[in-house]
Amino acid sequence: MSRLGWDAVNTFVAEFNQLDLVGLVRQAERATAAQVEAALAAGRRRSLADFAALVSPIAGKPPYLEELARQAHELTIRHFGRVIRFFAPLYLSNECINICRYCGFARDNPILRVTLTLEQVLEEAQYLRGQGFRHILLVAGEHPHFVSGNYLRNCIAGLRPTWPSISLEVGPMEVEGYESLVKAGAEGLVVYQETYDRMVYDRMHVSGPKKDFDWRLESPERAYAAGFKRLGIGTLLGLAEWRQEAIAVAAHAGYLLRKCWKSQLTVSVPRLRPAAGEFEPLVTVGDRDLTQFICALRIMYPEIGIVLSTRESARLRDGLIPLGVTLISAGSHTEPGGYTGQGKEQLHLTKGGRQVKPQLPFIESEGEQATVQFHIADRRSPAEVVAQLQRMGYEPVWKDWERVLNES
Ligand code: SF4
């Protein structure tokens, strides 16, 4: 064992392999009213079996869904107040060596690709600062040539003087790789498992390093060992049955809260959105399902951050905010250069990792921009979202003071 609890043998993978996920999903499907009431009354002693009851079909109907919503709202106010933190994704690159069937950046999609230079990244970031953001999430496809550790370190170091909070959503790394990014100034690491169903995961991740389920599942622990102060996990809803994903991500969150207790934990619940490749969700996750999932997560873990991105519509986002959401994005672009048009000159068309001639048919982008990872649903500007939050009695928070506290 070395560093902050990094032990390559005793990771969540071992616990996940012992988890009776099938049994818990069966419990959820068969939960009775008495079990839902017991789970709602269990307080801090809630188990995964209680969580299964909270995401059960019966808990998703009156009168229980209303009670879930009431408790989730009350707990959120108690732990976070009427405060919503903002972050902005900044896409660095849409080059990727993986083929994930649901993603517009997949290697085999013939799309316009680019990796922004440091100067272009700073231009994009400057625009976002002008919108009010102070927490930035750097997002990139997984490509060792274009998105190397060195490239990421340079981007972080360039942004650090003007960005109090820098998080990353990039391909998983060894502890040493993560350490160098922490040293450069990154404090948050987001890595979604996408799906916790091993068979679906294998089918969805056709080729590339991402095919290794366990390597990805251990990433938050490697990031913690490297010193990241914030860890983000999540499941991409639409790939496998949502109750199963909810129970698995709750198990993962519970494990990380115990093991990685010095870091803040956020859980994200993105639903699949249209993207290049025109992948259709394998399962339907309705608005009511998503609402129930968020309420159950909040009740189970009152202290975790819950992230809701612009993948969801304005109407739904406004409705979900009082139920447990603590961190949102606004006015997002999911392509490199999307905010200011940076990188247009370097755009190139690739398919299967190779550059192809522009006259070949390719997936159109909006104007002469790099192709987006997925299309967003809430197109309101940050200012419009802030105004709506204020009408709802919430205070928007742009700047996180954690770094100051950490350094004091
Ligand atoms: S989901 Fe990530 S790893 Fe997979 S193709 Fe898209 S950018 Fe690459």
Side-chain angles (χ1 to χ4, degrees):
M1 193 186 289
S2 68
R3 302 194 182 86
L4 253 183
W6 173 239
D7 173 354
V9 178
N10 295 309
T11 67
F12 180 61
V13 171
E15 189 161 310
F16 183 67
N17 288 340
Q18 297 295 317
L19 187 68
D20 181 13
L21 200 47
V22 174
L24 284 162
V25 172
R26 202 175 301 127
Q27 279 185 47
E29 283 162 355
R30 297 175 183 169
T32 62
Q35 286 168 325
V36 174
E37 285 165 21
L40 281 166
R44 301 291 292 184
R45 298 181 316 278
R46 282 187 190 95
S47 64
L48 271 183
D50 290 319
F51 183 80
L54 294 177
V55 294
S56 65
I58 190 168
K61 294 181 185 144
Y64 297 113
L65 187 57
E66 287 71 12
E67 180 55 20
L68 255 75
R70 192 192 63 74
Q71 284 201 20
H73 174 66
E74 205 176 273
L75 285 166
T76 309
I77 297 293
R78 196 185 309 161
H79 286 265
F80 296 91
R82 286 184 177 274
V83 161
I84 297 289
R85 284 170 49 217
F86 276 75
F87 75 98
L90 193 165
Y91 278 67
L92 305 174
S93 171
N94 59 357
E95 309 275 0
C96 194
I97 54 172
N98 290 304
I99 300 182
C100 307
R101 288 187 52 204
Y102 48 82
C103 178
F105 295 170
R107 193 184 72 202
D108 58 346
N109 278 339
I111 63 165
L112 288 172
R113 298 183 194 262
V114 68
T115 301
L116 300 182
T117 64
L118 175 58
E119 291 66 33
Q120 291 166 341
V121 170
L122 296 179
E123 282 290 328
E124 289 272 284
Q126 187 55 32
Y127 170 85
L128 291 169
R129 268 185 72 80
Q131 299 283 303
F133 293 103
R134 295 295 182 269
H135 177 188
I136 202 163
L137 173 69
L138 303 180
V139 187
E142 189 168 355
H143 200 301
H145 177 64
F146 293 101
V147 191
S148 65
N150 207 27
Y151 170 78
L152 291 172
R153 277 191 297 279
N154 287 340
C155 290
I156 296 163
L159 291 166
R160 196 167 192 271
T162 45
W163 286 86
S165 187
I166 302 173
S167 295
L168 305 171
E169 189 177 340
V170 297
M173 296 179 184
E174 297 281 3
V175 178
E176 292 76 13
Y178 282 146
E179 275 175 338
S180 74
L181 302 180
V182 170
K183 215 169 154 197
E187 60 171 28
L189 193 279
V190 174
V191 56
Y192 301 152
Q193 190 59 26
E194 318 293 15
T195 173
Y196 287 83
D197 184 313
R198 283 184 184 275
M199 273 163 50
V200 175
Y201 188 97
D202 195 53
R203 282 210 317 274
M204 290 301 102
H205 301 100
V206 178
S207 71
K210 193 166 172 179
K211 203 162 176 62
D212 189 337
F213 181 97
D214 289 355
W215 166 251
R216 192 168 186 84
L217 195 57
E218 291 169 346
S219 301
E221 289 160 81
R222 291 196 305 276
Y224 179 69
F228 277 102
K229 296 280 180 269
R230 305 172 196 274
L231 301 175
I233 60 171
T235 173
L236 183 55
L237 297 170
L239 297 178
E241 206 274 315
W242 78 267
R243 290 189 172 88
Q244 177 180 318
E245 302 286 33
I247 293 166
V249 84
H252 198 180
Y255 174 92
L256 292 174
L257 284 171
R258 287 196 310 276
K259 182 164 179 184
C260 305
W261 56 274
K262 289 185 179 173
S263 291
Q264 290 180 355
L265 181 68
T266 57
V267 177
S268 195
V269 288
R271 282 193 292 187
L272 266 169
R273 293 282 304 152
E278 292 174 3
F279 180 81
E280 289 292 328
L282 304 177
V283 297
T284 304
V285 183
D287 290 355
R288 179 179 284 255
D289 301 331
L290 183 63
T291 305
Q292 185 182 359
F293 184 6
I294 288 174
C295 291
L297 260 183
R298 171 57 65 228
I299 292 169
M300 184 77 180
Y301 302 120
E303 65 277 53
I304 61 167
I306 298 180
V307 185
L308 194 64
S309 77
T310 51
R311 287 172 182 260
E312 301 300 338
S313 69
R315 186 189 56 79
L316 186 62
R317 291 217 309 164
D318 292 349
L320 289 174
I321 277 178
L323 304 182
V325 174
T326 55
L327 188 60
I328 64 170
S329 50
S332 302
H333 280 265
T334 67
E335 73 276 32
Y339 297 107
T340 62
Q342 298 295 314
K344 276 182 190 173
E345 314 73 36
Q346 303 125 263
L347 283 174
H348 54 276
L349 185 61
T350 66
K351 184 178 184 194
R354 275 206 285 277
Q355 201 148 335
V356 291
K357 288 182 184 159
Q359 66 263 33
L360 289 176
F362 65 95
I363 297 167
E364 296 284 355
S365 60
E366 288 176 30
E368 283 300 297
Q369 297 275 329
T371 307
V372 298
Q373 187 179 32
F374 55 84
H375 294 284
I376 64 167
D378 184 350
R379 293 183 166 274
R380 289 175 298 179
S381 68
E384 287 172 314
V385 176
V386 165
Q388 174 60 17
L389 282 177
Q390 287 169 336
R391 279 194 291 275
M392 290 164 61
Y394 281 80
E395 182 191 346
V397 170
W398 303 96
K399 184 166 180 172
D400 201 308
W401 295 94
E402 190 186 308
R403 179 182 289 171
V404 177
L405 293 173
N406 285 342
E407 288 176 352
S408 62

